[in-house]
Structures are given as structure tokens and as C-alpha cells.
Amino acid sequence: MNTALPNLAFPPIEARIVEESRGVMIFDAVRSRYVRLTPEEWVRQHLIGFLISHRGVPLSLVAVEKGFDVSGQSKRADVVVYRRDGRPWLLAECKAPGVAIGDAALRQVARYARVIHADVLALTNGLRHEAFAVASGALTPLEDLPAYPA
């Protein structure tokens, strides 16, 4: 199996990777199934692992590829983390390591945030991460991905 996967700026994860007739697959604990291992999926699984292991996020409150509507168009958020009361806490957009995290990605996640109303926005390509607190429609840069609220 050729799984030349890049090292990311996240702690290592214990990835369950298999090769099937459909290609190389990685187990996604959120969806409880194997999914195709793409560069973006590699980043997403590291982000989820980091949030759970290092930021105190309960696995049961994480949604992957959460569908919603933006101006009549169907969209999907890469990762949405919910508070215990069901309100969205964090909305994250994951890109492949070779994709720059720039203004276009920030505009994309900001559009999604107007519908999802999360308290925190995050962008990552696995090598670089940006996080923002959202309050009254304004984005305030954060030093790092915050801990899950108690």
C-alpha cells in the first residue's frame, strides 16, 4: 500500500488505513465507516483527532460534511462541533496540504458561518491553521484552536 502521507502540524493520530478495491481508505470515527483517503481527508482526520484528544471535544458532538443551505445552494461544512446544548460551537474548513489558506478559504467559511452561527471559525490545510472568534458578525483572530467550552 502506497500511503505517502505528509506530516502535518498536528500531533500524530492513530489512523486505521486499509486498501480496498475502492482505493486507500481511512476509518472516520465520526461517521463510523471507512472513507476514501484524500489529502483533504488526511487533514480532516488530524483536525478531528486534535480536537478530541487535545481540546476536549466529545466525539458525539462532532459532525463531518454537515449539509446546509446557503442562498438556495446546498453546501457542506467539513467539520462542525456542537456545544452540549446543541448550538454550533466551531465550524472548520479543511483543505489539502498543498492548498493555500488564504482569503478565498476565509470567505468560504465566513459565508457558511452566516448560516451555521458558530462561535469559532477554523481553517486548516494541516500545515497552517487559522482560528477566529465570531461575535456580532466580526471575526477576531485567535492564537490557536481554543479548548472546548465546559
Side-chain angles (χ1 to χ4, degrees):
M1 177 176 2
N2 182 8
T3 56
L5 301 166
N7 289 325
L8 302 177
F10 284 113
I13 61 171
E14 291 186 29
R16 291 171 32 198
I17 299 172
V18 298
E19 191 166 3
E20 298 181 351
S21 60
R22 300 180 290 163
V24 178
M25 312 292 279
I26 187 168
F27 187 77
D28 180 350
V30 174
R31 293 178 272 188
S32 297
R33 64 181 173 93
Y34 281 91
V35 297
R36 183 174 300 282
L37 179 54
T38 64
E40 182 180 313
E41 192 63 45
W42 184 238
V43 171
R44 181 176 16 241
Q45 292 305 316
H46 275 78
L47 173 64
I48 292 167
F50 177 78
L51 291 172
I52 291 167
S53 298
H54 298 276
R55 292 299 185 255
V57 171
L59 175 65
S60 63
L61 297 178
V62 178
V64 173
E65 293 192 339
K66 176 72 176 161
F68 60 97
D69 184 77
V70 175
S71 301
Q73 293 185 335
S74 180
K75 301 290 182 184
R76 288 190 292 183
D78 284 330
V79 176
V80 179
V81 176
Y82 293 90
R83 292 178 174 273
R84 294 187 196 287
D85 66 5
R87 291 181 297 132
W89 171 66
L90 179 136
L91 166 63
E93 180 64 24
C94 300
K95 301 293 185 190
V99 176
I101 297 296
D103 290 341
L106 182 57
R107 281 192 303 274
Q108 177 184 4
V109 78
R111 276 192 312 273
Y112 293 0
R114 286 194 280 280
V115 175
I116 292 181
H117 304 293
D119 300 325
V120 177
L121 300 182
L123 298 164
T124 184
N125 65 3
L127 304 174
R128 182 171 160 226
H129 323 301
E130 292 188 12
F132 302 88
V134 182
S136 303
L139 300 180
T140 303
L142 299 172
E143 296 266 333
D144 200 355
L145 292 167
Y148 187 73

